[in-house]
Amino acid sequence: MKTTALLPVITYPDPSPETAIPGVLAMAAALGAQLHALAINVEVRSISNALSRKLVDVSKMTREAEAQCREHGEAFLAKLVEEAKQAGVDTITGAVASNATLLNDTAAIEARYHDFVLCAWANNPTARLTAEAIIFGSGRPTILLPEVDPVRELRNVAVAWDGSRVAARAVADAHEVLRRASRITVLTVTDEKPLSETNAAERLAQGLNARGLSAEAMPFGTEDGPIEVSLQDRALEIGADLMVMGAFGHTRLRDFVLGGVTNGILRDVRLPILLSH
């Protein structure tokens, strides 16, 4: 069975940066996945009235905005295909168009047909809103890829664990990642909130070892620092190639109310992170 990973290529309003391509290709190769890159272009609804016709050519502006999005998507995909050939990554490309207000929903729907979603992370509102929509709307594990050194192999994986349902779902969704790792470190913050089990990290490590994986528990205290910072600091200290964690949040009237840790992670992504809800 072939593993597939979707790369949503956002074209509006903040386009996906081409500098993300090396990291995306490296992660697809590390997952052993066929990469499906999909440019999501915008359709701008024409807004026309007597005043707008007198002051500005709205139809022309709409056509130009749509053409600019298509051009960016085509350029990104062309560069991706060129670099994928050099990297030996099996890549399929395509494009869809969506109304501006539904771009993120379109990305989430498309993601449901793949094993993983790779989100090229950039520090802008578009990247964050797209990631939130996919994480909470697709039902698929989503890997955020900040512009750091590309991950060539998934040998060293950290798991953020608190014994919750969401964390358990993330571990299950990360099976393909965990089975490739030669070292798995279970990170449990012991002084951030009351845990239902004092030995939660040890229990997960034991369970992973029983499945033939190589895991160790690493409970630690935050020393009053933000938990999202402490988790990433510890993951980076142990040289983790990727961190697995559950995404906490609720959907109400189409707005995401994020848990504190998830919100903090999305403010500052410092290593590849697999998020699952």
Side-chain angles (χ1 to χ4, degrees):
M1 180 175 173
K2 183 180 294 183
T3 299
T4 67
L6 175 71
L7 171 66
V9 179
I10 305 304
T11 63
Y12 177 89
D14 301 302
S16 298
E18 293 183 5
T19 51
I21 290 175
V24 168
L25 291 174
M27 183 57 69
L31 291 169
Q34 182 183 63
L35 182 64
H36 290 239
L38 185 69
I40 302 179
N41 300 318
V42 69
E43 288 180 336
V44 181
R45 290 181 178 175
S46 296
I47 302 174
S48 182
N49 54 44
L51 181 60
S52 68
R53 285 192 294 271
K54 289 181 180 180
L55 297 179
V56 65
D57 188 339
V58 175
S59 296
K60 180 181 178 182
M61 292 178 63
T62 297
R63 291 193 301 272
E64 290 175 349
E66 291 176 341
Q68 187 176 25
C69 290
R70 288 194 301 272
E71 289 170 5
H72 173 81
E74 290 168 0
F76 187 105
L77 293 179
K79 185 173 179 60
L80 178 71
V81 168
E82 179 184 352
E83 295 193 19
K85 289 179 180 177
Q86 298 173 359
V89 176
D90 185 13
T91 301
I92 296 174
T93 63
V96 295
S98 176
N99 182 269
T101 59
L102 298 175
L103 288 175
N104 296 329
D105 288 339
T106 298
I109 291 169
E110 294 292 337
R112 293 171 190 164
Y113 297 93
H114 299 274
D115 299 297
F116 293 95
V117 190
L118 306 182
C119 280
W121 185 255
N123 190 20
N124 61 57
T126 301
R128 172 159 179 161
L129 289 173
T130 300
E132 289 179 10
I134 293 171
I135 292 164
F136 291 98
S138 70
R140 308 308 301 146
T142 303
I143 300 178
L144 305 182
L145 295 171
E147 289 189 28
V148 296
D149 290 340
V151 172
R152 305 295 178 186
E153 293 181 283
L154 294 168
R155 291 185 175 179
N156 188 351
V157 175
V159 176
W161 180 254
D162 62 0
S164 66
R165 180 202 66 80
V166 174
R169 170 64 184 269
V171 171
D173 280 348
H175 172 75
E176 185 67 23
V177 170
L178 297 178
R179 76 172 186 84
R180 293 173 177 273
S182 56
R183 178 187 178 192
I184 301 168
T185 305
V186 181
L187 302 177
T188 295
V189 178
T190 57
D191 60 355
E192 189 267 340
K193 64 180 180 181
L195 298 174
S196 58
E197 299 174 303
T198 57
N199 63 340
E202 289 81 2
R203 287 198 65 187
L204 179 61
Q206 289 170 5
L208 293 174
N209 286 323
R211 293 172 176 83
L213 303 175
S214 179
E216 63 177 319
M218 186 177 288
F220 67 98
T222 62
E223 298 179 355
D224 297 325
I227 185 172
E228 63 273 10
V229 173
S230 298
L231 283 168
Q232 292 194 82
D233 281 347
R234 192 56 58 97
L236 290 168
E237 285 173 10
I238 64 175
D241 300 307
L242 175 143
M243 183 167 69
V244 174
M245 67 182 298
F248 290 83
H250 306 279
T251 304
R252 184 174 182 180
L253 299 178
R254 304 296 296 168
D255 291 325
F256 294 117
V257 181
L258 303 183
V261 179
T262 306
N263 189 40
I265 289 289
L266 291 174
R267 283 199 303 265
D268 181 23
V269 183
R270 296 158 56 197
L271 79 160
I273 297 178
L274 185 153
L275 285 163
S276 172
H277 178 67

